Short mmCIF file of all heavy atoms in Angstrom, two decimals:
data_model
loop_
_atom_site.label_atom_id
_atom_site.label_comp_id
_atom_site.label_asym_id
_atom_site.label_seq_id
_atom_site.Cartn_x
_atom_site.Cartn_y
_atom_site.Cartn_z
N MET A 1 -31.10 -22.41 -19.05
CA MET A 1 -31.00 -21.92 -17.69
C MET A 1 -29.54 -21.87 -17.22
O MET A 1 -29.15 -20.92 -16.57
CB MET A 1 -31.81 -22.85 -16.78
CG MET A 1 -31.89 -22.39 -15.36
SD MET A 1 -32.96 -20.97 -15.24
CE MET A 1 -32.96 -20.74 -13.51
N VAL A 2 -28.76 -22.87 -17.53
CA VAL A 2 -27.35 -22.91 -17.13
C VAL A 2 -26.53 -21.77 -17.75
O VAL A 2 -25.77 -21.11 -17.05
CB VAL A 2 -26.74 -24.29 -17.42
CG1 VAL A 2 -25.25 -24.30 -17.13
CG2 VAL A 2 -27.43 -25.37 -16.58
N PRO A 3 -26.67 -21.49 -19.08
CA PRO A 3 -25.91 -20.38 -19.63
C PRO A 3 -26.28 -19.04 -18.99
O PRO A 3 -25.40 -18.19 -18.78
CB PRO A 3 -26.30 -20.38 -21.12
CG PRO A 3 -26.72 -21.77 -21.40
CD PRO A 3 -27.35 -22.25 -20.13
N LEU A 4 -27.55 -18.86 -18.64
CA LEU A 4 -27.96 -17.62 -17.98
C LEU A 4 -27.29 -17.49 -16.62
O LEU A 4 -26.79 -16.41 -16.26
CB LEU A 4 -29.49 -17.60 -17.84
CG LEU A 4 -30.07 -16.35 -17.18
CD1 LEU A 4 -29.80 -15.15 -18.04
CD2 LEU A 4 -31.54 -16.52 -16.96
N LEU A 5 -27.22 -18.58 -15.87
CA LEU A 5 -26.56 -18.56 -14.57
C LEU A 5 -25.06 -18.32 -14.71
O LEU A 5 -24.45 -17.62 -13.90
CB LEU A 5 -26.83 -19.86 -13.82
CG LEU A 5 -28.25 -20.05 -13.30
CD1 LEU A 5 -28.41 -21.40 -12.68
CD2 LEU A 5 -28.61 -18.95 -12.32
N LEU A 6 -24.44 -18.88 -15.72
CA LEU A 6 -23.01 -18.67 -15.96
C LEU A 6 -22.72 -17.22 -16.31
O LEU A 6 -21.73 -16.64 -15.84
CB LEU A 6 -22.51 -19.59 -17.07
CG LEU A 6 -22.41 -21.08 -16.69
CD1 LEU A 6 -21.99 -21.89 -17.90
CD2 LEU A 6 -21.43 -21.27 -15.54
N VAL A 7 -23.56 -16.61 -17.13
CA VAL A 7 -23.38 -15.21 -17.47
C VAL A 7 -23.58 -14.33 -16.24
O VAL A 7 -22.80 -13.41 -16.00
CB VAL A 7 -24.36 -14.80 -18.61
CG1 VAL A 7 -24.37 -13.30 -18.80
CG2 VAL A 7 -23.96 -15.51 -19.90
N LEU A 8 -24.57 -14.64 -15.42
CA LEU A 8 -24.80 -13.88 -14.20
C LEU A 8 -23.62 -14.03 -13.24
O LEU A 8 -23.17 -13.04 -12.64
CB LEU A 8 -26.09 -14.36 -13.52
CG LEU A 8 -26.48 -13.63 -12.25
CD1 LEU A 8 -26.71 -12.16 -12.53
CD2 LEU A 8 -27.72 -14.26 -11.66
N LEU A 9 -23.07 -15.22 -13.13
CA LEU A 9 -21.89 -15.44 -12.29
C LEU A 9 -20.69 -14.67 -12.81
O LEU A 9 -19.95 -14.07 -12.03
CB LEU A 9 -21.58 -16.95 -12.22
CG LEU A 9 -20.43 -17.35 -11.33
CD1 LEU A 9 -20.71 -17.00 -9.89
CD2 LEU A 9 -20.14 -18.82 -11.50
N LEU A 10 -20.50 -14.65 -14.11
CA LEU A 10 -19.40 -13.90 -14.70
C LEU A 10 -19.55 -12.40 -14.43
O LEU A 10 -18.56 -11.72 -14.08
CB LEU A 10 -19.34 -14.16 -16.21
CG LEU A 10 -18.22 -13.47 -16.96
CD1 LEU A 10 -16.86 -13.99 -16.51
CD2 LEU A 10 -18.39 -13.68 -18.45
N VAL A 11 -20.76 -11.89 -14.55
CA VAL A 11 -21.00 -10.47 -14.27
C VAL A 11 -20.70 -10.16 -12.80
O VAL A 11 -20.08 -9.13 -12.49
CB VAL A 11 -22.46 -10.09 -14.64
CG1 VAL A 11 -22.84 -8.74 -14.08
CG2 VAL A 11 -22.63 -10.11 -16.14
N LEU A 12 -21.11 -11.02 -11.90
CA LEU A 12 -20.84 -10.79 -10.46
C LEU A 12 -19.35 -10.82 -10.17
O LEU A 12 -18.85 -10.01 -9.39
CB LEU A 12 -21.58 -11.84 -9.63
CG LEU A 12 -23.09 -11.67 -9.54
CD1 LEU A 12 -23.71 -12.85 -8.80
CD2 LEU A 12 -23.44 -10.37 -8.84
N ILE A 13 -18.62 -11.75 -10.79
CA ILE A 13 -17.17 -11.83 -10.57
C ILE A 13 -16.48 -10.57 -11.11
O ILE A 13 -15.62 -10.00 -10.43
CB ILE A 13 -16.61 -13.10 -11.22
CG1 ILE A 13 -17.07 -14.33 -10.44
CG2 ILE A 13 -15.09 -13.05 -11.29
CD1 ILE A 13 -16.72 -15.63 -11.11
N LEU A 14 -16.86 -10.14 -12.28
CA LEU A 14 -16.23 -8.95 -12.87
C LEU A 14 -16.58 -7.69 -12.07
O LEU A 14 -15.73 -6.81 -11.88
CB LEU A 14 -16.64 -8.79 -14.32
CG LEU A 14 -16.07 -9.84 -15.28
CD1 LEU A 14 -16.62 -9.64 -16.67
CD2 LEU A 14 -14.55 -9.78 -15.28
N ALA A 15 -17.79 -7.59 -11.58
CA ALA A 15 -18.18 -6.43 -10.77
C ALA A 15 -17.42 -6.43 -9.46
O ALA A 15 -16.95 -5.39 -9.00
CB ALA A 15 -19.68 -6.44 -10.54
N GLY A 16 -17.27 -7.60 -8.84
CA GLY A 16 -16.52 -7.69 -7.59
C GLY A 16 -15.05 -7.34 -7.79
O GLY A 16 -14.44 -6.67 -6.98
N ALA A 17 -14.46 -7.81 -8.89
CA ALA A 17 -13.07 -7.48 -9.17
C ALA A 17 -12.89 -5.99 -9.44
O ALA A 17 -11.90 -5.39 -8.98
CB ALA A 17 -12.58 -8.29 -10.38
N GLY A 18 -13.83 -5.40 -10.13
CA GLY A 18 -13.75 -3.96 -10.37
C GLY A 18 -13.85 -3.16 -9.08
O GLY A 18 -13.11 -2.19 -8.88
N PHE A 19 -14.72 -3.58 -8.18
CA PHE A 19 -14.84 -2.90 -6.90
C PHE A 19 -13.56 -3.05 -6.09
O PHE A 19 -13.08 -2.10 -5.49
CB PHE A 19 -16.05 -3.49 -6.13
CG PHE A 19 -16.24 -2.87 -4.78
CD1 PHE A 19 -16.74 -1.59 -4.67
CD2 PHE A 19 -15.91 -3.58 -3.64
CE1 PHE A 19 -16.93 -1.02 -3.42
CE2 PHE A 19 -16.09 -3.01 -2.39
CZ PHE A 19 -16.60 -1.73 -2.27
N ALA A 20 -12.98 -4.27 -6.07
CA ALA A 20 -11.75 -4.50 -5.31
C ALA A 20 -10.61 -3.69 -5.88
O ALA A 20 -9.80 -3.14 -5.13
CB ALA A 20 -11.42 -6.00 -5.33
N LEU A 21 -10.50 -3.61 -7.20
CA LEU A 21 -9.43 -2.83 -7.81
C LEU A 21 -9.59 -1.34 -7.51
O LEU A 21 -8.61 -0.64 -7.30
CB LEU A 21 -9.37 -3.07 -9.31
CG LEU A 21 -8.89 -4.46 -9.73
CD1 LEU A 21 -8.98 -4.62 -11.23
CD2 LEU A 21 -7.45 -4.68 -9.26
N LYS A 22 -10.83 -0.87 -7.48
CA LYS A 22 -11.06 0.54 -7.16
C LYS A 22 -10.64 0.85 -5.73
O LYS A 22 -10.00 1.86 -5.46
CB LYS A 22 -12.54 0.88 -7.37
CG LYS A 22 -12.82 2.35 -7.26
CD LYS A 22 -14.26 2.66 -7.64
CE LYS A 22 -14.49 4.14 -7.56
NZ LYS A 22 -15.83 4.50 -7.92
N ILE A 23 -10.97 -0.06 -4.80
CA ILE A 23 -10.56 0.09 -3.41
C ILE A 23 -9.03 0.10 -3.30
O ILE A 23 -8.45 0.91 -2.58
CB ILE A 23 -11.16 -1.04 -2.54
CG1 ILE A 23 -12.67 -0.88 -2.45
CG2 ILE A 23 -10.55 -1.08 -1.16
CD1 ILE A 23 -13.14 0.35 -1.72
N LEU A 24 -8.36 -0.79 -4.05
CA LEU A 24 -6.90 -0.83 -4.00
C LEU A 24 -6.28 0.44 -4.54
O LEU A 24 -5.25 0.90 -4.04
CB LEU A 24 -6.39 -2.05 -4.79
CG LEU A 24 -6.64 -3.39 -4.12
CD1 LEU A 24 -6.17 -4.52 -5.03
CD2 LEU A 24 -5.95 -3.48 -2.77
N TRP A 25 -6.89 1.05 -5.55
CA TRP A 25 -6.39 2.33 -6.06
C TRP A 25 -6.50 3.41 -4.99
O TRP A 25 -5.60 4.22 -4.83
CB TRP A 25 -7.15 2.75 -7.31
CG TRP A 25 -6.58 2.19 -8.57
CD1 TRP A 25 -7.11 1.22 -9.36
CD2 TRP A 25 -5.32 2.54 -9.17
NE1 TRP A 25 -6.28 0.96 -10.40
CE2 TRP A 25 -5.18 1.75 -10.33
CE3 TRP A 25 -4.31 3.44 -8.84
CZ2 TRP A 25 -4.06 1.83 -11.15
CZ3 TRP A 25 -3.19 3.54 -9.67
CH2 TRP A 25 -3.08 2.74 -10.81
N TRP A 26 -7.63 3.44 -4.25
CA TRP A 26 -7.79 4.43 -3.18
C TRP A 26 -6.79 4.21 -2.05
O TRP A 26 -6.26 5.16 -1.49
CB TRP A 26 -9.23 4.43 -2.67
CG TRP A 26 -10.17 5.12 -3.59
CD1 TRP A 26 -11.15 4.54 -4.33
CD2 TRP A 26 -10.21 6.52 -3.90
NE1 TRP A 26 -11.79 5.50 -5.09
CE2 TRP A 26 -11.24 6.71 -4.84
CE3 TRP A 26 -9.47 7.62 -3.49
CZ2 TRP A 26 -11.55 7.97 -5.35
CZ3 TRP A 26 -9.77 8.87 -4.01
CH2 TRP A 26 -10.80 9.03 -4.92
N VAL A 27 -6.52 2.94 -1.72
CA VAL A 27 -5.54 2.64 -0.67
C VAL A 27 -4.14 3.10 -1.11
O VAL A 27 -3.40 3.70 -0.35
CB VAL A 27 -5.56 1.14 -0.34
CG1 VAL A 27 -4.38 0.74 0.52
CG2 VAL A 27 -6.86 0.77 0.35
N ALA A 28 -3.79 2.81 -2.36
CA ALA A 28 -2.48 3.24 -2.89
C ALA A 28 -2.37 4.76 -2.89
O ALA A 28 -1.31 5.28 -2.56
CB ALA A 28 -2.30 2.68 -4.31
N LEU A 29 -3.42 5.44 -3.24
CA LEU A 29 -3.40 6.90 -3.22
C LEU A 29 -3.23 7.44 -1.81
O LEU A 29 -2.46 8.38 -1.58
CB LEU A 29 -4.69 7.43 -3.86
CG LEU A 29 -4.78 8.95 -4.03
CD1 LEU A 29 -3.70 9.44 -4.98
CD2 LEU A 29 -6.14 9.33 -4.54
N ALA A 30 -3.90 6.83 -0.84
CA ALA A 30 -3.79 7.27 0.56
C ALA A 30 -2.36 7.05 1.07
O ALA A 30 -1.80 7.91 1.75
CB ALA A 30 -4.79 6.53 1.42
N VAL A 31 -1.75 5.92 0.73
CA VAL A 31 -0.38 5.65 1.15
C VAL A 31 0.59 6.64 0.52
O VAL A 31 1.51 7.14 1.17
CB VAL A 31 0.01 4.20 0.80
CG1 VAL A 31 1.51 3.96 0.97
CG2 VAL A 31 -0.77 3.24 1.66
N LEU A 32 0.37 6.97 -0.74
CA LEU A 32 1.22 7.95 -1.41
C LEU A 32 1.12 9.32 -0.75
O LEU A 32 2.13 9.99 -0.53
CB LEU A 32 0.84 8.04 -2.89
CG LEU A 32 1.61 9.09 -3.71
CD1 LEU A 32 3.07 8.71 -3.80
CD2 LEU A 32 1.00 9.23 -5.09
N VAL A 33 -0.10 9.73 -0.42
CA VAL A 33 -0.28 11.03 0.24
C VAL A 33 0.40 11.04 1.61
O VAL A 33 1.09 12.01 1.96
CB VAL A 33 -1.79 11.37 0.36
CG1 VAL A 33 -2.04 12.51 1.30
CG2 VAL A 33 -2.37 11.66 -1.02
N LEU A 34 0.24 9.96 2.39
CA LEU A 34 0.90 9.90 3.68
C LEU A 34 2.43 9.93 3.55
O LEU A 34 3.12 10.57 4.34
CB LEU A 34 0.46 8.63 4.43
CG LEU A 34 -0.95 8.65 4.97
CD1 LEU A 34 -1.29 7.29 5.56
CD2 LEU A 34 -1.11 9.72 6.02
N TRP A 35 2.95 9.25 2.53
CA TRP A 35 4.39 9.26 2.32
C TRP A 35 4.87 10.65 1.95
O TRP A 35 5.90 11.11 2.43
CB TRP A 35 4.74 8.26 1.21
CG TRP A 35 6.21 8.20 0.94
CD1 TRP A 35 7.14 7.55 1.68
CD2 TRP A 35 6.92 8.85 -0.12
NE1 TRP A 35 8.37 7.74 1.14
CE2 TRP A 35 8.28 8.53 0.04
CE3 TRP A 35 6.53 9.65 -1.18
CZ2 TRP A 35 9.24 8.99 -0.84
CZ3 TRP A 35 7.49 10.12 -2.07
CH2 TRP A 35 8.82 9.79 -1.88
N LEU A 36 4.13 11.34 1.09
CA LEU A 36 4.53 12.70 0.71
C LEU A 36 4.48 13.65 1.89
O LEU A 36 5.36 14.50 2.06
CB LEU A 36 3.65 13.20 -0.43
CG LEU A 36 3.92 12.56 -1.79
CD1 LEU A 36 2.88 13.03 -2.81
CD2 LEU A 36 5.31 12.90 -2.28
N ILE A 37 3.44 13.52 2.74
CA ILE A 37 3.35 14.38 3.92
C ILE A 37 4.52 14.10 4.86
O ILE A 37 5.14 15.02 5.39
CB ILE A 37 2.00 14.15 4.64
CG1 ILE A 37 0.87 14.76 3.81
CG2 ILE A 37 2.02 14.77 6.02
CD1 ILE A 37 -0.52 14.42 4.33
N GLY A 38 4.86 12.85 5.05
CA GLY A 38 6.00 12.49 5.87
C GLY A 38 7.31 12.97 5.28
O GLY A 38 8.23 13.36 6.00
N PHE A 39 7.43 12.97 3.98
CA PHE A 39 8.65 13.45 3.33
C PHE A 39 8.81 14.96 3.52
O PHE A 39 9.90 15.45 3.77
CB PHE A 39 8.61 13.11 1.83
CG PHE A 39 9.84 13.48 1.09
CD1 PHE A 39 10.98 12.72 1.23
CD2 PHE A 39 9.87 14.59 0.25
CE1 PHE A 39 12.15 13.05 0.54
CE2 PHE A 39 11.02 14.93 -0.43
CZ PHE A 39 12.16 14.17 -0.28
N VAL A 40 7.71 15.70 3.41
CA VAL A 40 7.77 17.15 3.55
C VAL A 40 7.94 17.56 5.01
O VAL A 40 8.66 18.50 5.33
CB VAL A 40 6.50 17.80 2.93
CG1 VAL A 40 6.41 19.27 3.24
CG2 VAL A 40 6.48 17.57 1.44
N ALA A 41 7.27 16.85 5.93
CA ALA A 41 7.24 17.24 7.33
C ALA A 41 8.25 16.46 8.17
O ALA A 41 8.03 16.22 9.33
CB ALA A 41 5.83 17.03 7.89
N ARG A 42 9.37 16.06 7.59
CA ARG A 42 10.36 15.30 8.36
C ARG A 42 11.08 16.20 9.36
O ARG A 42 11.16 17.42 9.15
CB ARG A 42 11.35 14.63 7.42
CG ARG A 42 12.17 15.59 6.63
CD ARG A 42 13.13 14.85 5.74
NE ARG A 42 13.84 15.83 4.93
CZ ARG A 42 14.14 15.67 3.67
NH1 ARG A 42 13.78 14.57 3.06
NH2 ARG A 42 14.77 16.59 3.01
N PRO A 43 11.61 15.61 10.41
CA PRO A 43 12.33 16.42 11.42
C PRO A 43 13.57 17.07 10.81
O PRO A 43 14.25 16.50 9.96
CB PRO A 43 12.72 15.40 12.47
CG PRO A 43 11.83 14.23 12.26
CD PRO A 43 11.46 14.22 10.82
N LYS A 44 13.87 18.26 11.29
CA LYS A 44 15.00 19.03 10.71
C LYS A 44 16.34 18.46 11.11
O LYS A 44 17.29 18.55 10.35
CB LYS A 44 14.91 20.50 11.16
CG LYS A 44 13.65 21.19 10.73
CD LYS A 44 13.59 21.32 9.24
CE LYS A 44 12.31 22.05 8.85
NZ LYS A 44 12.04 21.97 7.45
N GLY A 45 16.48 17.89 12.30
CA GLY A 45 17.78 17.41 12.77
C GLY A 45 18.11 16.00 12.34
O GLY A 45 19.17 15.48 12.70
N SER A 46 17.27 15.35 11.57
CA SER A 46 17.53 13.95 11.20
C SER A 46 18.41 13.87 9.97
O SER A 46 18.72 14.85 9.34
CB SER A 46 16.21 13.24 10.95
OG SER A 46 15.61 13.72 9.80
N SER A 47 18.78 12.64 9.65
CA SER A 47 19.68 12.43 8.50
C SER A 47 18.92 12.41 7.18
O SER A 47 19.52 12.10 6.16
CB SER A 47 20.41 11.10 8.71
OG SER A 47 19.49 10.04 8.71
N GLY A 48 17.65 12.69 7.17
CA GLY A 48 16.91 12.75 5.92
C GLY A 48 15.77 11.77 5.83
O GLY A 48 14.84 12.02 5.11
N ARG A 49 15.84 10.66 6.55
CA ARG A 49 14.76 9.69 6.48
C ARG A 49 13.82 9.89 7.66
O ARG A 49 14.25 10.02 8.78
CB ARG A 49 15.31 8.26 6.54
CG ARG A 49 15.96 7.83 5.30
CD ARG A 49 16.20 6.35 5.36
NE ARG A 49 17.20 5.99 4.38
CZ ARG A 49 17.95 4.92 4.47
NH1 ARG A 49 17.81 4.12 5.49
NH2 ARG A 49 18.82 4.64 3.55
N TRP A 50 12.52 9.87 7.39
CA TRP A 50 11.54 10.01 8.46
C TRP A 50 10.97 8.68 8.87
O TRP A 50 10.25 8.57 9.84
CB TRP A 50 10.41 10.95 8.05
CG TRP A 50 9.65 10.49 6.86
CD1 TRP A 50 9.93 10.75 5.56
CD2 TRP A 50 8.47 9.68 6.85
NE1 TRP A 50 9.02 10.15 4.74
CE2 TRP A 50 8.11 9.51 5.50
CE3 TRP A 50 7.68 9.11 7.84
CZ2 TRP A 50 7.00 8.77 5.13
CZ3 TRP A 50 6.57 8.37 7.46
CH2 TRP A 50 6.24 8.21 6.12
N TYR A 51 11.32 7.62 8.15
CA TYR A 51 10.86 6.30 8.49
C TYR A 51 12.03 5.50 9.01
O TYR A 51 13.19 5.84 8.77
CB TYR A 51 10.21 5.61 7.28
CG TYR A 51 11.03 5.68 6.02
CD1 TYR A 51 11.99 4.72 5.77
CD2 TYR A 51 10.84 6.70 5.10
CE1 TYR A 51 12.74 4.76 4.63
CE2 TYR A 51 11.59 6.76 3.95
CZ TYR A 51 12.54 5.79 3.73
OH TYR A 51 13.30 5.84 2.61
N ARG A 52 11.77 4.39 9.70
CA ARG A 52 12.84 3.64 10.36
C ARG A 52 13.38 2.51 9.52
O ARG A 52 14.42 1.98 9.78
CB ARG A 52 12.32 3.07 11.68
CG ARG A 52 12.04 4.16 12.66
CD ARG A 52 11.67 3.59 13.96
NE ARG A 52 11.48 4.71 14.87
CZ ARG A 52 11.75 4.67 16.14
NH1 ARG A 52 12.17 3.57 16.66
NH2 ARG A 52 11.58 5.71 16.89
N TRP A 53 12.68 2.05 8.50
CA TRP A 53 13.17 0.96 7.69
C TRP A 53 13.77 1.56 6.47
O TRP A 53 14.37 1.22 5.67
CB TRP A 53 12.07 -0.04 7.35
CG TRP A 53 10.80 0.58 6.98
CD1 TRP A 53 9.80 0.96 7.80
CD2 TRP A 53 10.38 0.96 5.66
NE1 TRP A 53 8.78 1.54 7.11
CE2 TRP A 53 9.09 1.54 5.80
CE3 TRP A 53 10.92 0.85 4.39
CZ2 TRP A 53 8.39 2.01 4.70
CZ3 TRP A 53 10.21 1.32 3.31
CH2 TRP A 53 8.96 1.89 3.48
#
């Protein structure tokens, strides 16, 4: 019974980690798209940077 529970716990941990990593990939992709849009649509009179930091 204990080995079965350990295997089930391992499967749950790996599935949760896979879901979290997939979410992080989507967040990274969204940030990249926003950065590219900001880079293309920057104000014409500025010194080149559209962000303040």
